[in-house]
Amino acid sequence: MNTAAIQQFLHERFGAAVGPVESARLFDYVEVDPSAVEEVALVLRDHPDLAFDCLNNLSGCDRPTRGRIQITYELFSYVHRHAFVMKVGARRDRPEVRTVERVWPAANWLEREIYDLLGVIFLGHSDLRRLLLPDDWVGYPLRKDYVEAPEYHGISTVRESALKLSERR
Amino acid sequence: MSLLNTVPEMVLTTKVDQLLNWTRKSSLWYMLFGLACCAIEMMQTGGPRSDLDRFGMAPRATPRVSDLMIVAGTLTLKMALRTKVLYEQMPDPKYVLSMGSCSNCGGLFQLAYSVCDGVDKVIPVDVYVPGCPPRPEALTEGLLLLQKKMMQERWLVREPQLRTDAVRA
């Protein structure tokens, strides 16, 4: 099945929660409402005609102009050899999305990464901690309005010019 | 001189300081501290072609028996705190060699939010080896320079030491 057929199938089931096919440079995609993510994901995985058994990638991107943090689910079916891209726009002021961890276990760490770098709360996630940055890190660095802290545990994050260092010597 | 002339030829005379320094520099055990791509060059330096073993150097997996820490690679702020702990675990006399642009000054990644711009912000460094990454020849030269520095150390007399000054490779 191609993206258009999958979109039609989902639209018949979920109605307004599944948006129209949007064309993009690389993959056409479908916008899904944040509240319906888990149900849509379950159908995508379990319906025999779709059978998306593999979550290729799960990533996020901050879009301040739209007031959204966009989360992209890239799916692939080894049974039917077809792919599908689903996007979810979480509200920037209150970014909360249902987890798909119980649909695709691979989402566990990917969702933790998105939480770490963009601050999206995945409701129902079993272990929502930071994945890469230290636990005591302040802020979410991949947000466009992130301001770097001047120091971390007494280590300044600014490097003096080498010319100044040689002058002092 | 008359005394020296009386000892047999197989006996060598030297100063205690020099003997200590010579023993130390001839069995310089280094801690495995590969953080990024520089580690590949460090492994190459330890391999048969440039063979660090000919200087009596051997890689150790723990700081508690190491004399030298070769910081090879990008130091993140998360790792910087751990680096300090590891350095403090090393027994005196201890030395640090900063290998490559990243550990010298943050290198290519110095503007990133998560990178510590230079290992010398956390621990004192004895030798800096520039390069991205430095070739095994460069690292070997840095180690020879460190050995030279070690031979200048004086342990029996208390006076301001060369230790804190960094030698530029």
Side-chain angles (χ1 to χ4, degrees):
Chain A
M1 281 165 105
N2 60 12
T3 305
I6 294 168
Q7 190 271 342
Q8 205 181 358
F9 179 89
L10 292 175
H11 192 69
E12 279 164 16
R13 270 185 171 236
F14 295 100
V18 177
V21 177
E22 314 265 353
S23 58
R25 196 180 295 168
L26 202 55
F27 298 114
D28 294 350
Y29 65 92
V30 171
E31 283 265 358
V32 175
D33 196 75
S35 57
V37 174
E38 203 171 16
E39 292 80 20
V40 174
L42 274 171
V43 169
L44 284 167
R45 186 194 65 178
D46 291 337
H47 196 281
D49 291 344
L50 302 170
F52 285 104
D53 47 5
C54 175
L55 179 68
N56 267 352
N57 191 20
L58 178 51
S59 60
C61 181
D62 189 15
R63 305 220 177 248
T65 50
R66 299 183 204 170
R68 291 276 184 273
I69 292 174
Q70 201 170 43
I71 300 157
T72 309
Y73 301 75
E74 288 173 37
L75 308 172
F76 184 75
S77 167
Y78 278 96
V79 182
H80 300 300
R81 301 270 154 188
H82 60 194
F84 184 62
V85 178
M86 167 169 94
K87 291 196 185 184
V88 171
R91 274 174 54 190
R92 216 160 166 279
D93 49 342
R94 198 160 155 268
E96 287 177 354
V97 183
R98 286 295 303 173
T99 178
V100 293
E101 183 206 352
R102 276 176 288 282
V103 187
W104 298 288
N108 188 321
W109 277 27
L110 297 169
E111 283 179 350
R112 275 178 66 186
E113 188 190 357
I114 297 173
Y115 164 72
D116 190 356
L117 302 176
L118 285 163
V120 177
I121 311 288
F122 288 92
L123 300 168
H125 194 283
S126 62
D127 182 29
L128 199 63
R129 287 178 294 132
R130 285 186 183 274
L131 179 65
L132 301 166
L133 292 169
D135 291 333
D136 55 357
W137 193 267
V138 179
Y140 305 106
L142 287 197
R143 292 225 186 161
K144 304 290 184 202
D145 53 4
Y146 175 73
V147 182
E148 197 179 5
E151 60 156 43
Y152 175 74
H153 283 270
I155 307 166
S156 116
T157 51
V158 189
R159 180 89 196 171
E160 256 187 275
S161 162
L163 295 169
K164 277 186 194 162
L165 286 174
S166 63
E167 268 170 30
R168 200 193 299 155
R169 203 163 278 164
Chain B
M1 283 308 284
S2 58
L3 177 71
L4 282 183
N5 289 337
T6 55
V7 293
E9 274 179 20
M10 69 269 246
V11 175
L12 293 170
T13 54
T14 179
K15 287 185 263 178
V16 180
D17 257 341
Q18 264 193 327
L19 179 72
L20 284 175
N21 285 338
W22 176 76
T23 54
R24 279 185 181 126
K25 78 148 195 180
S26 309
S27 66
L28 199 57
W29 289 2
Y30 60 100
M31 189 171 86
L32 290 171
F33 208 78
L35 298 174
C37 28
C38 273
I40 302 294
E41 294 295 304
M42 187 174 70
M43 289 174 226
Q44 178 68 16
T45 317
R49 193 172 280 250
S50 55
D51 194 16
L52 283 185
D53 218 356
R54 67 197 152 126
F55 306 122
M57 297 184 66
R60 309 306 300 174
T62 161
R64 293 182 189 276
V65 293
S66 312
D67 310 300
L68 166 68
M69 180 192 265
I70 302 179
V71 183
T74 318
L75 190 76
T76 58
L77 288 167
K78 192 176 183 179
M79 194 65 195
L81 302 179
R82 285 135 180 91
T83 307
K84 200 172 178 183
V85 172
L86 288 168
Y87 177 75
E88 281 161 2
Q89 285 181 347
M90 285 164 66
D92 274 321
K94 51 193 173 187
Y95 300 88
V96 177
L97 186 143
S98 164
M99 177 185 180
S101 300
C102 286
S103 66
N104 288 346
C105 68
L108 190 63
F109 308 105
Q110 57 183 295
L111 297 179
Y113 55 86
S114 59
V115 171
C116 176
D117 325 329
V119 72
D120 52 2
K121 282 189 168 181
V122 198
I123 53 176
V125 175
D126 294 284
V127 178
Y128 295 89
V129 179
C132 187
R135 288 182 60 82
E137 292 89 325
L139 180 58
T140 311
E141 196 197 342
L143 292 167
L144 289 175
L145 205 69
L146 181 70
Q147 286 192 336
K148 211 165 155 189
K149 184 178 176 177
M150 291 174 84
M151 282 308 283
Q152 290 164 3
E153 303 242 34
R154 299 181 69 184
W155 299 99
L156 299 178
V157 224
R158 287 194 181 275
E159 60 179 357
Q161 304 226 331
L162 286 164
R163 281 235 48 184
T164 47
D165 278 289
V167 179
R168 289 200 178 274

